[in-house]
C-alpha cells in the first residue's frame, strides 16, 4: 500500500490497455467474519490487498485468530480463537466490523464491540441488525460507542427486514447458522455478496434454503467446518473502469471477469453511455469513442444500478452532450461529490436526492479532497477529464477499497502518480 497521501492526475486523451480486476472487497469481508464460526484454518485466494481487509485481520487477531498473507492469498487460523471485546479504535475504522457480531454470538453467545465506522454517506444505522438479534433472544445494550450483546440461548426466529439491508442480512445469516432451531429471514437482500456468503456457509456445512431469493430459511447447526474460499472479482471496481471508458475514447480489456451476470445493469448503463462491451471467456472488451449521450439515471436495490457506482456515473456525465440527472435512492447523503467537483468547474445542482449535471462544461484541474471511498475514486476519474493537473488528496479513503488505482489506470495508459 502506498504511503503518499495524494494522487496527481493528468488529462487522458485515450485509454488503452489491460486492467486486472482485483478480488471483491464486499464479498471477502463477510467471509472473513464467517471464519470465526468454526475452529480451523481457512485459505482465501484472490483476496484484495486493501486497508479494510487489513483492519478486519486486526479485529480477528484481537480474538487470538492468526492471520498471514502472501500476495493475494490470506490464511486465517481460528484454532486458538477465544472471546475478547473489540475496541472502538478498530471497529470504528470500517462498516463491516459489525459483521463480527453474528459469528461472535454464534460461537460465544456474547459480544462486546465498538460501533462500526465506514464511509460517511448517510446515517447508516444498525437498527435492522439489532432488531433481528433481539428476535434471536439476544439482549442488546448500547453505552456510548460500545455495544454489549448477550444471549444464553441463541434461538432461531422469524424476522421480516423492513428494508433489504445487505449488512443486516449477512449479520443475521452469520448468527442463524449457529443458532438453535430454524430462522426465517423475510425481506432479505439478494445482492451477489449475499449469494456468495450463503454458498460459502453451505460449504462449511450450513443448511440454507432460498439462496438468491428474499426469503432465507436457515437451520442452525453446531457442525460447521473451516473451508477455503476463492474470491470473486470486484463488480464495483470493474464497473468503475467500465463507466470511466464512456467518458474518454477507450479500448480496454478488463481482465479476470468470468461472468457478467451480476453486473447486468452496469453493463446496460455503460452501453447506454456509448460503450461497446464484448464478453470474452476471461475478460471484458470495452470500447468507446468518448461521446457520452445525456440521460436520466437512478440507483436502486440490486439488480438495479448500484449506489456504489453513482459518484463515478456523476463524473462521467460531466462529459455528456447536454443535461443529465442522477437520483440516489439508497443513501441519503451520497451526492456530496458535487461540492468537490465544483472546484473543477463542474456545474451540478442538487435538489433533495437528485443531481442535475450540466455536460460539456470545460473542466479545469484543481485540488480536491476524497471524503469517502467511491467519491474519491470518482474524483480521480473526473481528473482524467480536466484540462491541467488535478490533485486528489486524502487518498486513504480510496485505499480502503481499491488496491492501487494508480497502477490500474497506468495500465490503461493514463498519466497518474502518487504525490
Ligand atoms: C453495503 O453496505 C456495502 N458495504 C455498501 O458499499 C453498499 O453501498 C450497500 O451495501 C448498498 O448496496 C459493504 O458490503 C461492506 P445496507 P451496508 O445495510 O450493508 C439503511 C462501499 O463503498 N439501513 O444495505 O451498510 C441504510 O441507512 C460500501 O463499498 C437501515 O436503515 O448497506 C441505507 O440507507 C459503501 N438500518 C440502506 O439501509 C440498518 O440497520 C442500505 O444499507 C441497516 C441499513
Amino acid at each position: 500500500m502506498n504511503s503518499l497521501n495524494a494522487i496527481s492526475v493528468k488529462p487522458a486523451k485515450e485509454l488503452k490497455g489491460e486492467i486486472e480486476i482485483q478480488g471483491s472487497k464486499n464479498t471477502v469481508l463477510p467471509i472473513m467474519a464467517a471464519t470465526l464460526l468454526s475452529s480451523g484454518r481457512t485459505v482465501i485466494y484472490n483476496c484484495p490487498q486493501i486497508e479494510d481487509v487489513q483492519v478486519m485481520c486486526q479485529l480477528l487477531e484481537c480474538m487470538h485468530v492468526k492471520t498471514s498473507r502472501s500476495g493475494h492469498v490470506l490464511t486465517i487460523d481460528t484454532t486458538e480463537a477465544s472471546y475478547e471485546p473489540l475496541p472502538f479504535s478498530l471497529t470504528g475504522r470500517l462498516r463491516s466490523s459489525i459483521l463480527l457480531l453474528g459469528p461472535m454470538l454464534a460461537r460465544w453467545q456474547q459480544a462486546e464491540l465498538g460501533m462500526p465506522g465506514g464511509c460517511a454517506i448517510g446515517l447508516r444505522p444498525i437498527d435492522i441488525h439489532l432488531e433481528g438479534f433481539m428476535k434471536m433472544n439476544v439482549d442488546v445494550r448500547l453505552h456510548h460507542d460500545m455495544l454489549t450483546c448477550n444471549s444464553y440461548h441463541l434461538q432461531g426466529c422469524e424476522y421480516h427486514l423492513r428494508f433489504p439491508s445487505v449488512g443486516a442480512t449477512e449479520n443475521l445469516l452469520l448468527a442463524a447458522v449457529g443458532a438453535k432451531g430454524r430462522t426465517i429471514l423475510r425481506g432479505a437482500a439478494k445482492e451477489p455478496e449475499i449469494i456468495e456468503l450463503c454458498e460459502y456457509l453451505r460449504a462449511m456445512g450450513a443448511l440454507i434454503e432460498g439462496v438468491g431469493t428474499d426469503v432465507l430459511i436457515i437451520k442452525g447447526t453446531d457442525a460447521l467446518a473451516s473451508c477455503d474460499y476463492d474470491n470473486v472479482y470486484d463488480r464495483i471496481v470493474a464497473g468503475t473502469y467500465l463507466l470511466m471508458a464512456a467518458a474518454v475514447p477507450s479500448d480496454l480489456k478488463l481482465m479476470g471477469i468470468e461472468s457478467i451476470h451480476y453486473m447486468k445493469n452496469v453493463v446496460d448503463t455503460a452501453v447506454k453511455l456509448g460503450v461497446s462491451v464484448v464478453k470474452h471467456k476471461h475478460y471484458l472488451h470495452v470500447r468507446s469513442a468518448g461521446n457520452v449521450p445525456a440521460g436520466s439515471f437512478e440507483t436502486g436495490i440490486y439488480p438495479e444500478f448500484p449506489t456504489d457506482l453513482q459518484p463515478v456515473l456523476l463524473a462521467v456525465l460531466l462529459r455528456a452532450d447536454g443535461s443529465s440527472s442522477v437520483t440516489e435512492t439508497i443513501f441519503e447523503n451520497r451526492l456530496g461529490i458535487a461540492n468537490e467537483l465544483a472546484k473543477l468547474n463542474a456545474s451540478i445542482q442538487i435538489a433533495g436526492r437528485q443531481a442535475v449535471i450540466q455536460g460539456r462544461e470545460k473542466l479545469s484541474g484543481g485540488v480536491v479532497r476524497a471524503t469517502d471511498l467511491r467519491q474519491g475514486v470518482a474524483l480521480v476519474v473526473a481528473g482524467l477529464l480536466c484540462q491541467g493537473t488535478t490533485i486528489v488528496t486524502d487518498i486513504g479513503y480510496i485505499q480502503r477499497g481499491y488496491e492501487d488505482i494508480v497502477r490500474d489506470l497506468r495500465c490503461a495508459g493514463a498519466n497518474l502518480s502518487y504525490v
Side-chain angles (χ1 to χ4, degrees):
M1 218 161 281
N2 200 290
S3 59
L4 299 172
N5 198 34
I7 295 175
S8 159
V9 191
K10 303 269 192 217
K13 284 204 174 59
E14 67 163 355
L15 295 168
K16 193 171 166 55
E18 292 182 3
I19 306 179
E20 198 64 48
I21 303 299
Q22 68 182 64
S24 165
K25 166 177 89 76
N26 291 345
T27 303
V28 87
L29 291 169
I31 281 172
M32 289 175 73
T35 62
L36 209 54
L37 290 165
S38 67
S39 181
R41 206 174 76 114
T42 301
V43 182
I44 299 179
Y45 300 94
N46 197 25
C47 181
Q49 293 177 306
I50 52 173
E51 178 78 18
D52 275 12
V53 165
Q54 264 182 28
V55 179
M56 195 59 144
C57 285
Q58 288 171 27
L59 282 160
L60 289 168
E61 283 160 9
C62 288
M63 296 175 281
H64 312 284
V65 171
K66 292 195 173 71
T67 72
S68 62
R69 174 188 268 292
S70 168
H72 290 105
V73 180
L74 175 69
T75 305
I76 299 177
D77 191 339
T78 59
T79 312
E80 288 168 23
S82 58
Y83 174 77
E84 292 287 348
L86 301 177
F88 176 67
S89 56
L90 281 177
T91 60
R93 288 175 59 191
L94 82 164
R95 175 74 177 175
S96 296
S97 55
I98 193 67
L99 299 183
L100 291 165
L101 179 50
M104 286 171 88
L105 286 168
R107 189 157 176 171
W108 296 302
Q109 286 73 53
Q110 59 174 334
E112 191 182 346
L113 71 172
M115 287 293 279
C119 289
I121 51 181
L123 284 175
R124 307 193 81 181
I126 53 166
D127 56 321
I128 302 175
H129 301 236
L130 299 184
E131 191 177 78
F133 285 127
M134 287 190 264
K135 290 260 185 192
M136 296 179 97
N137 201 30
V138 178
D139 178 56
V140 177
R141 283 158 207 245
L142 178 61
H143 186 62
H144 298 301
D145 284 328
M146 289 303 283
L147 259 179
T148 307
C149 299
N150 279 291
S151 173
Y152 298 103
H153 182 78
L154 189 67
Q155 180 64 53
C157 71
E158 226 178 300
Y159 178 55
H160 193 137
L161 285 77
R162 70 170 165 77
F163 182 89
S165 156
V166 176
T169 303
E170 292 168 344
N171 220 347
L172 296 171
L173 260 167
L174 287 162
V177 291
K180 292 270 174 284
R182 195 173 70 150
T183 298
I184 303 180
L185 298 176
R186 298 186 196 281
K190 296 183 285 190
E191 263 71 1
E193 292 74 22
I194 308 277
I195 297 174
E196 278 297 301
L197 178 62
C198 287
E199 297 298 353
Y200 180 71
L201 291 169
R202 276 176 163 174
M204 289 179 83
L207 305 165
I208 307 174
E209 286 171 36
V211 176
T213 76
D214 62 355
V215 182
L216 294 170
I217 303 170
I218 306 117
K219 198 157 168 280
T221 171
D222 52 12
L224 296 173
S226 298
C227 173
D228 294 348
Y229 178 65
D230 192 4
N231 193 17
V232 294
Y233 75 90
D234 194 309
R235 67 187 174 105
I236 303 299
V237 173
T240 301
Y241 300 144
L242 182 51
L243 295 177
M244 170 188 79
V248 182
S250 297
D251 184 351
L252 292 175
K253 286 181 180 165
L254 305 182
M255 310 302 291
I257 298 185
E258 308 294 329
S259 156
I260 50 170
H261 179 67
Y262 291 146
M263 280 184 63
K264 184 166 182 325
N265 206 305
V266 179
V267 170
D268 290 350
T269 303
V271 170
K272 208 169 144 187
L273 293 170
V275 180
S276 123
V277 183
V278 179
K279 171 78 186 79
H280 292 260
K281 195 162 182 215
H282 301 298
Y283 67 92
L284 275 194
H285 195 175
V286 174
R287 276 172 288 196
S288 92
N291 302 321
V292 184
S296 288
F297 303 86
E298 187 170 305
T299 65
I301 297 167
Y302 182 83
E304 290 170 40
F305 187 82
T307 171
D308 289 347
L309 285 172
Q310 173 262 108
V312 175
L313 176 61
L314 223 97
V316 166
L317 290 171
L318 293 169
R319 270 284 162 91
D321 61 1
S323 160
S324 302
S325 71
V326 175
T327 305
E328 167 61 46
T329 68
I330 306 295
F331 289 105
E332 66 276 16
N333 190 21
R334 213 175 194 181
L335 293 169
I337 189 174
N339 297 332
E340 289 307 297
L341 290 175
K343 296 179 186 166
L344 305 177
N345 200 33
S347 170
I348 301 175
Q349 281 79 43
I350 307 290
R353 290 190 166 205
Q354 192 180 60
V356 175
I357 305 111
Q358 302 308 326
R360 285 210 214 102
E361 301 278 350
K362 284 255 175 296
L363 302 176
S364 45
V367 180
V368 285
R369 189 163 75 91
T371 55
D372 77 63
L373 165 56
R374 311 295 175 190
Q375 175 262 19
V377 166
L379 292 175
V380 173
V381 171
L384 298 172
L385 314 181
C386 289
Q387 286 183 344
T389 304
T390 300
I391 306 285
V392 182
T393 68
D394 294 64
I395 57 166
Y397 288 102
I398 298 176
Q399 289 163 336
R400 292 180 56 171
Y402 287 65
E403 266 194 8
D404 192 341
I405 194 167
V406 167
R407 173 200 65 198
D408 287 356
L409 295 183
R410 276 185 184 163
C411 287
N415 188 348
L416 289 87
S417 54
Y418 292 105
V419 285

